[in-house]
Amino acid sequence: MRDTSQPVPFLRAARGVFDLTLEGMVWSRRSLLMAILLGLPILFALFYRAVLVAKVPPEVTPFDFYGYIVALYYVRNVLPLVALFYASALIADEVEGKTITYLLTRPILRASILVGKFSAYLVATLTPLLPTLVVTYFLLMTARGLSGIGATVPDLFKDMGVASLSLLVYGALFALLGVLLKRPVIPGVLFLYVWELVANLPGYLPRFTLTVYLRSLISHRPAQEGISELFGQVLPTALCFGVLTAMVVVFLGLALWIFSRREFVLEQ
């Protein structure tokens, strides 16, 4: 028999939490809504092929349209929103549903709970996102023939990396909010749609946002005046990777430290 006085090994416990959390995410109404949001660009691409390919101005190429989808739809709006509603709920939903006690009374380390849940969040979001991004890319790039598609494939892989990094860094931030706050959604929305708009201002202040670092990693940017202004500052790639990596480490480190020490008092 196993010695129940000793905690379950970290990786084994994290895997168990991962399995339970992923199963709950897949069959939730939240996942249905997020899947619709992540999959909409496929409909945009089909509409472009069916209706707009013969009518849009020649300067708006399929690659430009694809760039709008990646930069403005995914990286700026939908992926942060998906991260907010998934990652902030990893612990907050357990507290609100009064099921956190069942996890904390098990002989497992608290860190393994959060690591397992956060890993499930990444799998649940990346699994629909990456195939959708690939399908959208090929639908648009083949709208006017196959010429030139090979030259843009590296951008597709870069965009998949930036999209994954967006889910990672925003997820780490909102996981921290979910550990700190009982209702983290409203502060998260304010952060996304109030503070993150600072990225469009001149000067040094945009460097205190996440958006400016993520969008700087997107190599293809709209050339039209007005749309291009939404990109504001473009920072060096090495700086962006360094800052974003540091943010992930800080946010997740704080979330693990706080969750490991916080006392959860449930309301009757």
Side-chain angles (χ1 to χ4, degrees):
M1 294 180 61
R2 186 179 63 84
D3 184 2
T4 56
S5 65
Q6 297 296 322
V8 177
F10 180 87
L11 291 179
R12 180 181 170 188
R15 176 60 186 270
V17 174
F18 169 86
D19 291 339
L20 289 173
T21 304
L22 185 60
E23 182 179 359
M25 285 181 174
V26 169
W27 301 110
S28 67
R29 287 177 293 180
R30 180 186 288 125
S31 292
L32 177 61
L33 175 60
M34 295 300 108
I36 292 173
L37 287 176
L38 292 173
L40 273 179
I42 292 180
L43 297 181
F44 298 159
L46 290 172
F47 185 72
Y48 182 96
R49 288 181 65 108
V51 179
L52 299 181
V53 69
K55 298 181 180 180
V56 294
E59 61 269 15
V60 182
T61 66
F63 190 61
D64 288 334
F65 190 57
Y66 166 75
Y68 300 154
I69 289 176
V70 172
L72 303 181
Y73 183 81
Y74 275 132
V75 174
R76 174 61 190 96
N77 290 291
V78 169
L79 296 184
L81 198 62
V82 168
L84 172 61
F85 283 103
Y86 267 118
S88 66
L90 295 178
I91 300 301
D93 275 7
E94 298 283 357
V95 175
E96 185 176 356
K98 299 181 175 62
T99 55
I100 190 70
T101 303
Y102 299 108
L103 287 174
L104 299 184
T105 54
R106 296 292 187 271
I108 58 178
L109 298 173
R110 287 195 178 191
S112 64
I113 297 174
L114 190 56
V115 168
K117 282 180 166 291
F118 192 79
S119 300
Y121 147 75
L122 288 178
V123 171
T125 52
L126 288 174
T127 299
L129 169 65
L130 298 181
T132 298
L133 196 58
V134 172
V135 171
T136 301
Y137 168 82
F138 280 103
L139 283 174
L140 289 172
M141 292 300 100
T142 58
R144 292 176 176 170
L146 298 176
S147 60
I149 190 172
T152 60
V153 168
D155 289 291
L156 170 63
F157 289 106
K158 291 179 183 178
D159 295 334
M160 293 171 68
V162 175
S164 302
L165 186 57
S166 298
L167 287 173
L168 179 60
V169 67
Y170 280 113
L173 171 61
F174 295 134
L176 174 59
L177 287 185
V179 170
L180 281 172
L181 305 175
K182 183 178 180 180
R183 293 180 174 85
V185 172
I186 293 178
V189 170
L190 292 176
F191 174 82
L192 290 180
Y193 298 107
V194 177
W195 177 251
E196 288 285 82
L197 294 178
V198 169
N200 298 320
L201 298 178
Y204 200 82
L205 199 57
R207 298 187 180 220
F208 293 95
T209 68
L210 297 178
T211 296
V212 72
Y213 297 102
L214 289 167
R215 72 187 182 190
S216 294
L217 294 175
I218 301 174
S219 57
H220 51 90
R221 303 180 181 92
Q224 285 78 13
E225 184 176 356
I227 294 293
S228 61
E229 292 174 356
L230 293 175
F231 283 83
Q233 298 184 31
V234 178
L235 302 177
T237 299
L239 174 64
C240 295
F241 274 120
V243 170
L244 292 172
T245 300
M247 290 299 99
V248 170
V249 172
V250 169
F251 294 151
L252 284 181
L254 284 174
L256 287 168
W257 184 79
I258 294 170
F259 181 62
S260 297
R261 288 160 176 78
R262 180 181 171 186
E263 293 293 331
F264 292 91
V265 180
L266 303 182
E267 297 178 357
Q268 298 298 323

